[in-house]
Amino acid sequence: MAVFQLQQQWVDLISALFREEFLDSQFTQLQQLQDESNPDFVVEVVTLFFEDSERLLNDLCSTLHQRVVDFKKADAHVHQLKGSSASIGAQRVKNVCVSFRNCCEEGNLEGCLACLQQVKHEYTLLKSKLEALFALEQQIVAAGGSLPTM
Amino acid sequence: MAPMKLLGSHALGRSKECGGWGKWKVRFLALLVFSFIAGSFWVFSQVEELLENGENVRVSWAEKAHLLHEQFNLSKSKLQSLSMLFTSSDQNCAGIFNGEKWANCKRDYLERLSQILIVCFILLCIALISNGGPVYSKLISFLSLQSQQQYKRQNFKTGGRWRKKILFLGILLGVLVSVWIFFSMNAAMTARRKETLANMCDERARMLQDQFNVSMNHVNALAILISTFHHGKNPSAINQKTFAEYTARTSFERPLTSGVAYALKVLHSEREVFEKEHGWRIKKMETEDQSPVKGDYTPEKLDPSPAQEEYAPVIFTQETVSHIVSVDMMSGKEDHDNILRARASAKGVLTSPFKLLKSNKLGVVLTFAVYKDDLPPNATPQQRIDATVGYLGASFDIASLVEKLLQQLASKQTIIVNVYDTTNPSVPITMYGPDVVGTGEVHISNVDFGDPNRKHEMHCRFKHEPPPPWSAITTSIGVAVIVLLVGHIFYAAVNRIEKVEDDYNEMRELKVRAEAADVAKSQFLATVSHEIRTPMNGVLGMLQMLLDTDLDATQQDYAMTAQASGKALIALINEVLDQAKIESGRLELEAVPFDIRVVLDNVLSLFSDKSQAKGVEVAVYISDLVPEVLVGDPGRFRQVITNLVGNSVKFTEDGHIFVSVHLVEEPNCFHDVSNHLSRQDANDLIENNTDLSQDTLSGFKVVDRCKSWENFRIFKSTAEATDTIKILVTVEDTGVGIPQDAQNRIFMPFMQADSSTSRTYGGTGIGLSISKCLVDLMGGEIGFVSKPGVGSTFSFTAVFREVRKNSIDIKRQQPEQTVPDFRGMKGLVVDGRRIRADVTKYHLQRLGIDVKVETNPNSAISYILDAFSSRGTGHVEMILVDKDAWGEGSGLAFAHPLVELMQNGALKPQKILPKMLLLTTSLSPTEVDGIKSSGYVDCIIKPLRLSMLTACLQKALGVGNKKLQDSQPLTLKSLLANKQILVVDDNLVNRKVAAGALKKYGAVVTCADSGKAAIQLLKPPHKFDACFMDVQMPEMDGFEATRRIREMEQRVNEFIKSRKASADLYGNVAHWHIPVLAMTADVFQATHDECVRCGMDGYVSKPFEVEHLYSAVAQFLESNEVESLS
């Protein structure tokens, strides 16, 4: 019974993530890539994404707060972030990255800073949600259930 | 849209045509009208002038005649010279006068005519300007850019307003001119009338004066007579009786005098003596009581004159005035003054008019003084008075005088003449004439009667009112009417022009709107189609996946049906999208190398099922001159051919569909395809009595295909680019054909021959329209010829580029087809139909087989027998016989003699027997059984395609590999299983995801995080089968890395080639080329080109999509496999 409830919760959570466009189809593809031979694929990738993103965000922060801002460098960072967020299907982060890059190309510092704040915000949101999701998954697995298929 | 456009253009055209002609017509009409007006004016004025002149001449001549007559009557001797003089001078005068008048008239008339002409010209100019205005404005606005449409429209509007203003101005001017004409003509007439009056009046005055003067002279002469004969002689030679007689007899010389009388100057002192001498008393002229003088006037009743200083008693009188004898002239007031003045001046003097005695008529008395001796010319008045002895008086009856005069003259009816004594200007005394106050103008002429103290005037006026100036009225009204009429015409024209302009503007606006709507529609279609396609791909993909799972038969059927429907739908959507893309001009063609033969084989495979089911023969023939590899857009080329062949298959129930490809430059393509191939066999043709018109693929009649391309420009232009290949493709079928009335709209989108077509055959009718657009894009033209019941032939041309030598890996486009197994083999094709044989030959030649064609069965048999014999020169590996070589099923029977010969043992089998193969479109089960017994090894089901032919021949000849046999589609999994794949990406997450995806399909994935690392890993020898390379990487991007890898491989390959290094060193691989696939998020054409340029083999979009990945990988991994196997 508890497993079923957990599963229900998980479904609700993930459909909310899709509905609110935190995630897109790419995430589904990731999930499809996960199988017996590679049981923790999604978690691995997402964790990688978190690490990578945190590093990038820090770099961005320091780049943008220098006295002479190197927009090229910032652009490269944002490009990285965009690539990885696209890979895991973090749609909202990716979308902010697109406008971020535009700001970088224009050399618009204020815009960049605003975008940085937004990206951070989106990233934190996503991170908390995904962490919640993974926690749920672990609970489900611990309870002996399997993840429901989407 | 289309019919509306048609209608619009039609209407526009018609109105334009109409407008052009109408405008000319209107101008022509205006010209006619004006010339008519001018002509009528000219005639009118000329006639008028002539009439007036004639009248004047008549009048003046009549007057002159009368004058002459009168003068002649007056005095023959005296007047002879006078009249001569007068007449000649008068005639001169008249001549001058007339001439002047003529000149006046002419000048007048010319002036008027020129004025009218000027008016006409102005009007015409106005009309022309108003007509030409829009033409110029159109021209100007045509020259200016289209962006000034708004301006143009305003211009039109203002133009219309201006035209109207000018028109109204013109009409106003015309009306004013007509009014002016009226007044000027009227004034001229009045002046002429006045002039006539003056002439007549002066003439009368002069005549009166002359006649008076004549009479006066005579009276003067009488006075001299008396002075001479009465006073100069003693005793007097004259008494009353003589005087009366003389005067009576000479009265004709004084036609104006009623009588003459002579009064003697008698002083008071002499009165007594005088009275006694004559026996009567001097009487007073008037009675005391001043009573009016009565008719019974007798001097006896008069009182004797009172005593006065002197008297002037009348002593001699004419008979007519004998009653005044003894009357004292000094007693009458008028006479008294007269006498005093006369004797003082020695000239004739006149009294003011008064009532004459007895006759009681108004008259004047002329008095001359009679002097007793000659006076010196410079005598003083006193001397004259002293010398006076008597007075001669003559009474003039002015009234009758004038009356008589006037009666002698013509046109006395028309004028009223009054004669006045104006000695006292304030109180003029009427001497003659009615007292009626005449109307109109009065002309006053002075009349000099020879008495300087008296002034007389003659007043003339017309009796009648001047007649209304009809000619002026009619002329001006005529002009006004004409002006108004012309104005009306132009008004109508201007209105018409305005209307047409409005219509034109409206049409244009509608056109713009329609075009905008059309563009919007296309954009909408493009967008919507795209949006539909995306989810449809999902549906199809899912269905495909569903079909891969375990399904029972029913589920499988449902799923397959769903997938088929989905595919049909997506095909339709693609078509619509294409159409929309083309219409909105967004379709661009690729330029990649491709093998046209493979493309055509593919198309044929597509329709092989359908054509086999229908029993329709489908064949392809490509001329040898067409290069193997062309650069262009194979997809679009294929689409066009697919469309055309698809249509043909759809509409052909039996017969054939024949696709042939030639170079445009190929001279023989104008003739039948077989002609150039079989010229050497022309004799055979004649022997066989082959009907050339029936020598088609299936023996069905076809339309004359040459007609389908006869309008192509490409044949006319001779300009040649060096590396362009112009290709002519014809698709010939023996289908139902296109009805004549539908042929001109066949290339319109969504149009089919008729609405029943879509019911019978289905389809949207968009295919041909897309084909046309695509052909246009490929720089070609499309055309067709069709005959209902016979079939249709579509032709199109396309321009491709020749492939550049040394360009990358063309072979990749035509994988695995170069099977070397048949190279150098010899074959024989036996077929009664040359075209069919040529098609077969063409396919066999592609496999490298040396082919001979035999169309005659006998020569074929002998050739085969020759081949069978060991000594024979001709050795053949295979013999292909068409089932219907010389008619239905005759191919089967062809081999019987051979079989018999073999069975008889007459034909010894050699160690390699030629394999007999039967070509057929369809085969019934019974025929399948009969094949072997007929001596055939196998049969080949048409349409012929390279792959299929290869397979069959391999099977028959027992060569080749197994791989081609199991041609079941490879799944991604089978493709990627156990493949060593390198993934290069700087992004950790991306790398992980890509690796995960590839691993999922069984690949062994190695990761590299930079281009440099990848180069290290890919240094030959290496174990990798493929590399996925991210394009955008820091330090060294994917392009650069690939370039370096290729350089590296190049070096190694050269080493191996030049044997500098053994192949063993490099993993025993003869040629190193690792497939590199770009991974990129944005798939633009530019990116693709960049990929190809730096040596990449393809690209996959990030994130991975299964189908795309498959198609990208399959291309080279499969061929790799073939290479490794072979």
Side-chain angles (χ1 to χ4, degrees):
Chain A
M1 200 57 197
V3 176
F4 178 74
Q5 275 177 349
L6 286 172
Q7 281 176 338
Q8 193 66 47
Q9 254 183 328
W10 185 85
V11 169
D12 288 345
L13 183 56
I14 198 153
S15 29
L17 280 172
F18 277 107
R19 200 174 50 243
E20 288 162 27
E21 295 186 334
F22 280 106
L23 298 175
D24 62 15
S25 58
Q26 189 60 30
F27 190 77
T28 324
Q29 292 211 356
L30 277 187
Q31 285 179 317
Q32 280 168 0
L33 291 174
Q34 181 169 304
D35 53 14
E36 293 81 22
S37 64
N38 204 351
D40 293 327
F41 181 69
V42 176
V43 179
E44 272 176 35
V45 171
V46 171
T47 317
L48 217 57
F49 169 70
F50 287 156
E51 288 166 9
D52 194 44
S53 301
E54 239 148 88
R55 181 179 56 80
L56 282 168
L57 285 173
N58 282 336
D59 287 355
L60 266 173
C61 223
S62 57
T63 309
L64 287 175
H65 286 97
Q66 242 137 33
R67 212 176 297 150
V68 183
V69 179
D70 184 355
F71 283 107
K72 265 198 181 151
K73 199 172 162 191
D75 187 49
H77 289 316
V78 179
H79 175 62
Q80 290 270 340
L81 186 60
K82 187 187 146 207
S84 44
S85 54
S87 280
I88 68 147
Q91 201 179 348
R92 280 166 70 156
V93 177
K94 191 191 83 182
N95 289 344
V96 180
C97 284
V98 172
S99 47
F100 202 156
R101 283 197 73 177
N102 286 338
C103 289
C104 285
E105 276 165 25
E106 289 166 15
N108 179 0
L109 184 60
E110 276 180 38
C112 283
L113 289 174
C115 282
L116 181 65
Q117 283 309 314
Q118 215 179 334
V119 165
K120 273 186 175 168
H121 175 68
E122 291 290 346
Y123 168 73
T124 331
L125 260 175
L126 181 72
K127 192 179 176 182
S128 62
K129 299 236 175 194
L130 283 177
E131 274 170 352
L133 190 76
F134 294 147
L136 255 172
E137 279 177 13
Q138 274 174 355
Q139 281 180 12
I140 291 166
V141 173
S146 63
L147 292 180
T149 48
M150 284 292 291
Chain B
M1 178 60 210
M4 198 186 101
K5 217 188 222 164
L6 212 72
L7 205 79
S9 72
H10 179 67
L12 218 71
R14 208 178 53 181
S15 75
K16 206 188 260 173
E17 192 187 335
C18 237
W21 170 232
K23 217 178 270 174
W24 277 111
K25 226 160 57 180
V26 165
R27 276 182 197 172
F28 189 64
L29 194 76
L31 251 166
L32 256 176
V33 166
F34 279 123
S35 50
F36 171 74
I37 294 161
S40 60
F41 267 119
W42 186 72
V43 168
F44 174 76
S45 37
Q46 212 164 28
V47 166
E48 193 191 32
E49 297 303 324
L50 274 176
L51 277 172
E52 279 176 11
N53 276 325
E55 202 176 324
N56 282 341
V57 168
R58 213 166 53 229
V59 168
S60 63
W61 277 107
E63 278 176 12
K64 247 126 257 162
H66 273 285
L67 264 174
L68 192 65
H69 183 68
E70 172 61 23
Q71 298 289 347
F72 193 75
N73 270 353
L74 265 174
S75 154
K76 271 174 195 161
S77 55
K78 222 189 310 184
L79 289 190
Q80 193 68 40
S81 58
L82 189 70
S83 77
M84 283 285 282
L85 184 78
F86 182 75
T87 313
S88 65
S89 76
D90 203 61
Q91 238 166 7
N92 268 351
C93 244
I96 290 160
F97 178 67
N98 263 358
E100 207 172 38
K101 202 154 184 185
W102 260 105
N104 270 347
C105 292
K106 253 185 195 152
R107 207 175 51 226
D108 236 29
Y109 145 73
L110 278 175
E111 231 166 72
R112 203 177 308 150
L113 192 68
S114 65
Q115 279 158 355
I116 286 160
L117 281 177
I118 286 165
V119 170
C120 292
F121 184 72
I122 289 166
L123 280 174
L124 199 69
C125 282
I126 292 163
L128 277 176
I129 288 162
S130 68
N131 257 341
V135 173
Y136 296 134
S137 71
K138 262 176 209 159
L139 197 73
I140 289 158
S141 47
F142 179 73
L143 288 173
S144 65
L145 288 172
Q146 282 181 339
S147 61
Q148 294 175 339
Q149 274 175 2
Q150 194 62 34
Y151 161 75
K152 197 163 154 187
R153 242 167 65 195
Q154 271 179 354
N155 199 16
F156 273 136
K157 284 256 167 76
T158 53
R161 227 180 298 137
W162 267 110
R163 266 202 302 276
K164 276 204 170 157
K165 272 184 191 167
I166 288 172
L167 184 69
F168 284 124
L169 265 173
I171 290 170
L172 200 68
L173 195 72
V175 170
L176 284 178
V177 163
S178 76
V179 169
W180 171 81
I181 284 172
F182 170 75
F183 280 114
S184 69
M185 279 180 83
N186 200 18
M189 280 172 80
T190 317
R192 211 159 43 233
R193 198 178 149 85
K194 211 164 154 185
E195 207 174 62
T196 317
L197 184 67
N199 286 335
M200 284 163 88
C201 204
D202 286 344
E203 210 161 14
R204 275 155 184 71
R206 211 163 50 240
M207 276 172 66
L208 187 63
Q209 193 180 312
D210 287 342
Q211 292 208 356
F212 192 85
N213 284 347
V214 168
S215 300
M216 202 163 80
N217 287 344
H218 200 265
V219 173
N220 199 3
L222 206 61
I224 293 160
L225 182 93
I226 287 180
S227 147
T228 314
F229 291 100
H230 184 62
H231 295 286
K233 296 231 182 216
N234 204 8
S236 164
I238 298 168
N239 56 12
Q240 168 61 28
K241 196 175 165 245
T242 352
F243 188 81
E245 198 176 336
Y246 177 77
T247 50
R249 283 171 68 178
T250 57
S251 70
F252 72 91
E253 285 192 284
R254 313 177 298 273
L256 305 177
T257 53
S258 50
V260 286
Y262 179 64
L264 205 65
K265 180 185 174 186
V266 181
L267 294 174
H268 190 65
S269 52
E270 297 161 355
R271 182 175 173 175
E272 294 290 330
V273 181
F274 179 79
E275 278 179 350
K276 275 180 187 157
E277 197 177 310
H278 285 82
W280 37 261
R281 291 183 63 97
I282 298 168
K283 295 183 185 75
K284 205 171 90 179
M285 189 177 278
E286 280 143 15
T287 49
E288 291 297 330
D289 55 1
Q290 289 290 316
S291 62
V293 184
K294 295 285 173 342
D296 50 346
Y297 182 86
T298 46
E300 284 75 28
K301 287 179 185 165
L302 292 170
D303 300 330
S305 174
Q308 273 175 339
E309 196 180 321
E310 60 176 322
Y311 308 93
V314 176
I315 52 170
F316 306 134
T317 59
Q318 202 180 338
E319 210 65 56
T320 48
V321 286
S322 55
H323 56 273
I324 58 164
V325 174
S326 81
V327 174
D328 179 15
M329 281 302 155
M330 293 289 254
S331 62
K333 190 181 176 298
E334 297 286 340
D335 292 317
H336 180 78
D337 292 347
N338 236 20
I339 287 164
L340 292 184
R341 278 200 295 129
R343 70 184 183 191
S345 65
K347 282 179 184 161
V349 291
L350 286 172
T351 59
S352 64
F354 63 100
K355 293 270 164 68
L356 292 178
L357 292 177
K358 198 172 175 192
S359 73
N360 217 7
K361 281 178 182 165
L362 206 59
V364 287
V365 172
L366 172 70
T367 310
F368 273 102
V370 179
Y371 301 100
K372 60 181 159 212
D373 44 16
D374 286 340
L375 280 170
N378 52 355
T380 59
Q382 192 52 50
Q383 283 174 323
R384 286 193 192 120
I385 292 166
D386 291 342
T388 306
V389 285
Y391 322 100
L392 190 73
S395 66
F396 284 86
D397 182 357
I398 295 292
S400 59
L401 169 66
V402 176
E403 192 75 39
K404 210 168 127 199
L405 182 75
L406 291 182
Q407 263 171 3
Q408 286 167 0
L409 292 172
S411 58
K412 63 169 175 141
Q413 302 297 330
T414 53
I415 58 169
I416 299 166
V417 177
N418 283 4
V419 183
Y420 295 99
D421 183 313
T422 51
T423 313
N424 184 0
S426 55
V427 192
I429 303 156
T430 310
M431 290 168 77
Y432 170 78
D435 280 334
V436 284
V437 182
T439 52
E441 293 276 334
V442 176
H443 184 82
I444 299 165
S445 304
N446 283 319
V447 184
D448 181 14
F449 285 140
D451 183 352
N453 291 330
R454 296 242 164 238
K455 287 203 181 75
H456 297 87
E457 281 178 359
M458 184 182 262
H459 290 202
C460 300
R461 54 168 64 86
F462 279 102
K463 205 176 260 177
H464 302 293
E465 278 279 327
W470 285 120
S471 62
I473 289 168
T474 47
T475 308
S476 59
I477 285 175
V479 168
V481 164
I482 285 159
V483 163
L484 288 175
L485 275 175
V486 169
H488 177 74
I489 288 167
F490 281 111
Y491 181 72
V494 164
N495 268 357
R496 173 84 187 137
I497 289 166
E498 219 163 70
K499 196 173 167 297
V500 168
E501 273 170 6
D502 281 355
D503 285 357
Y504 169 72
N505 282 331
E506 201 183 334
M507 289 285 180
R508 212 167 44 172
E509 206 168 300
L510 285 176
K511 183 173 162 261
V512 166
R513 257 195 273 163
E515 277 169 358
D518 202 33
V519 169
K521 183 207 76 183
S522 295
Q523 280 173 349
F524 172 75
L525 272 179
T527 318
V528 167
S529 303
H530 186 76
E531 292 304 318
I532 295 171
R533 207 155 57 145
T534 318
M536 270 311 290
N537 277 331
V539 171
L540 284 177
M542 286 303 118
L543 279 169
Q544 185 59 52
M545 284 166 80
L546 182 65
L547 281 168
D548 288 346
T549 58
D550 263 345
L551 295 172
D552 63 33
T554 325
Q555 288 169 334
Q556 185 97 18
D557 182 40
Y558 291 166
M560 278 172 80
T561 312
Q563 198 189 20
S565 311
K567 275 183 179 159
L569 179 55
I570 206 138
L572 173 63
I573 291 167
N574 282 344
E575 276 191 346
V576 172
L577 181 60
D578 277 349
Q579 176 76 35
K581 260 188 187 167
I582 291 165
E583 275 178 12
S584 55
R586 279 193 287 174
L587 191 83
E588 281 173 12
L589 292 182
E590 281 186 274
V592 295
F594 70 100
D595 186 339
I596 189 169
R597 288 168 175 82
V598 173
V599 169
L600 281 167
D601 277 350
N602 285 342
V603 174
L604 244 60
S605 329
L606 211 63
F607 293 105
S608 60
D609 286 345
K610 271 189 197 164
S611 64
Q612 276 165 10
K614 278 185 168 181
V616 175
E617 186 168 351
V618 181
V620 168
Y621 176 84
I622 299 177
S623 162
D624 298 336
L625 300 174
V626 178
E628 261 189 40
V629 180
L630 297 168
V631 177
D633 193 330
R636 298 301 176 185
F637 182 66
R638 183 192 148 116
Q639 196 179 351
V640 175
I641 292 186
T642 309
N643 267 327
L644 295 179
V645 175
N647 271 344
S648 290
V649 169
K650 207 192 289 180
F651 295 113
T652 306
E653 291 308 322
D654 45 18
H656 69 266
I657 294 156
F658 180 42
V659 183
S660 63
V661 182
H662 294 270
L663 288 186
V664 165
E665 290 86 2
E666 219 173 312
N668 281 313
C669 72
F670 294 100
H671 310 296
D672 220 71
V673 67
S674 62
N675 283 6
H676 71 290
L677 292 167
S678 56
R679 205 156 289 147
Q680 71 270 28
D681 298 326
N683 292 334
D684 294 355
L685 266 178
I686 296 157
E687 280 167 31
N688 290 353
N689 290 328
T690 316
D691 186 0
L692 269 170
S693 70
Q694 295 287 318
D695 188 22
T696 61
L697 202 66
S698 60
F700 279 80
K701 212 170 164 213
V702 293
V703 290
D704 183 8
R705 56 159 85 185
C706 286
K707 279 188 186 147
S708 62
W709 63 69
E710 63 188 359
N711 290 326
F712 286 7
R713 287 186 312 272
I714 200 159
F715 291 114
K716 284 151 196 155
S717 65
T718 48
E720 298 225 354
T722 47
D723 64 341
T724 56
I725 305 279
K726 285 178 241 160
I727 277 178
L728 173 73
V729 181
T730 56
V731 179
E732 172 188 286
D733 71 48
T734 55
V736 293
I738 303 159
Q740 206 67 37
D741 58 334
Q743 289 195 357
N744 52 3
R745 55 166 199 266
I746 205 86
F747 290 119
M748 279 183 198
F750 305 109
M751 283 281 175
Q752 286 185 325
D754 60 83
S755 54
S756 65
T757 310
S758 55
R759 283 200 294 277
T760 319
Y761 300 103
T764 54
I766 203 173
L768 280 175
S769 144
I770 293 175
S771 299
K772 182 169 165 52
C773 296
L774 290 176
V775 168
D776 285 344
L777 280 173
M778 285 191 271
E781 289 152 286
I782 190 163
F784 69 97
V785 58
S786 183
K787 208 163 155 191
V790 174
S792 321
T793 298
F794 281 82
S795 307
F796 70 91
T797 56
V799 178
F800 294 112
R801 275 190 296 115
E802 204 166 0
V803 74
R804 290 184 299 272
K805 301 282 180 256
N806 306 329
S807 75
I808 47 136
D809 308 285
I810 305 141
K811 288 267 155 64
R812 205 156 299 289
Q813 294 289 337
Q814 38 161 354
E816 109 246 26
Q817 299 286 18
T818 48
V819 187
D821 303 332
F822 308 109
R823 201 141 285 162
M825 285 189 180
K826 284 191 174 143
L828 177 68
V829 172
V830 182
D831 199 335
R833 291 226 174 79
R834 200 162 300 277
I835 297 179
R836 201 160 50 187
D838 284 337
V839 170
T840 316
K841 185 181 167 184
Y842 149 72
H843 283 288
L844 289 174
Q845 276 176 337
R846 284 173 70 190
L847 288 170
I849 299 170
D850 191 13
V851 183
K852 176 144 178 58
V853 175
E854 283 293 346
T855 51
N856 190 308
N858 298 328
S859 61
I861 294 259
S862 59
Y863 187 89
I864 293 165
L865 288 175
D866 188 38
F868 271 114
S869 68
S870 52
R871 296 178 306 281
T873 48
H875 169 82
V876 289
E877 272 87 7
M878 62 197 86
I879 300 162
L880 285 92
V881 185
D882 199 279
K883 199 184 106 187
D884 304 326
W886 300 278
E888 193 73 34
S890 58
L892 273 172
F894 168 75
H896 280 311
L898 292 174
V899 175
E900 275 168 26
L901 279 172
M902 257 197 285
Q903 278 167 353
N904 293 347
L907 197 67
K908 292 231 171 66
Q910 302 297 307
K911 53 179 182 200
I912 307 165
L913 276 175
K915 299 283 190 282
M916 302 266 287
L917 289 149
L918 190 71
L919 293 167
T920 179
T921 36
S922 60
L923 215 57
S924 64
T926 50
E927 285 172 324
V928 174
D929 297 338
I931 286 174
K932 291 272 175 354
S933 60
S934 307
Y936 289 103
V937 179
D938 203 350
C939 69
I940 301 171
I941 309 287
K942 288 191 272 191
L944 293 176
R945 279 157 291 150
L946 195 64
S947 55
M948 196 259 310
L949 190 65
T950 315
C952 283
L953 288 177
Q954 277 171 341
K955 198 175 142 200
L957 300 172
V959 295
N961 53 55
K962 298 283 175 287
K963 195 242 156 190
L964 287 170
Q965 262 71 36
D966 70 339
S967 55
Q968 70 191 62
L970 301 165
T971 60
L972 194 54
K973 198 147 191 164
S974 66
L975 268 177
L976 287 172
N978 296 320
K979 288 285 186 320
Q980 293 282 347
I981 289 174
L982 179 68
V983 173
V984 188
D985 197 328
D986 63 315
N987 191 317
L988 188 63
V989 181
N990 288 358
R991 213 155 58 213
K992 186 86 183 166
V993 172
L998 289 168
K999 268 181 196 161
K1000 167 107 176 160
Y1001 297 109
V1004 182
V1005 181
T1006 313
C1007 291
D1009 61 350
S1010 71
K1012 277 184 181 162
I1015 292 168
Q1016 286 301 319
L1017 282 168
L1018 286 174
K1019 200 172 264 176
H1022 58 75
K1023 57 184 169 137
F1024 295 107
D1025 295 306
C1027 170
F1028 286 79
M1029 178 92 69
D1030 187 24
V1031 172
Q1032 265 188 316
M1033 283 186 293
E1035 287 179 52
M1036 185 188 289
D1037 66 9
F1039 298 133
E1040 178 62 29
T1042 312
R1043 219 169 281 135
R1044 297 216 181 159
I1045 290 165
R1046 291 284 177 247
E1047 280 169 18
M1048 211 157 64
E1049 285 174 343
Q1050 185 78 18
R1051 269 201 306 279
V1052 171
N1053 287 342
E1054 274 167 20
F1055 271 140
I1056 296 169
K1057 239 185 194 166
S1058 57
R1059 309 272 174 207
K1060 277 181 190 162
S1062 95
D1064 296 347
L1065 245 169
Y1066 294 104
N1068 219 356
V1069 176
H1071 185 88
W1072 282 96
H1073 181 97
I1074 183 159
V1076 176
L1077 291 162
M1079 292 193 291
T1080 171
D1082 41 8
V1083 188
F1084 294 126
Q1085 188 67 32
T1087 322
H1088 175 78
D1089 290 347
E1090 180 76 23
C1091 288
V1092 172
R1093 196 161 54 243
C1094 59
M1096 286 179 171
D1097 299 86
Y1099 65 87
V1100 290
S1101 57
K1102 270 196 308 190
F1104 289 156
E1105 278 169 27
V1106 177
E1107 281 119 40
H1108 194 181
L1109 186 63
Y1110 172 76
S1111 58
V1113 169
Q1115 252 188 23
F1116 55 90
L1117 280 187
E1118 197 183 0
S1119 62
N1120 261 10
E1121 205 159 316
V1122 172
E1123 270 170 30
S1124 63
L1125 273 168
S1126 55

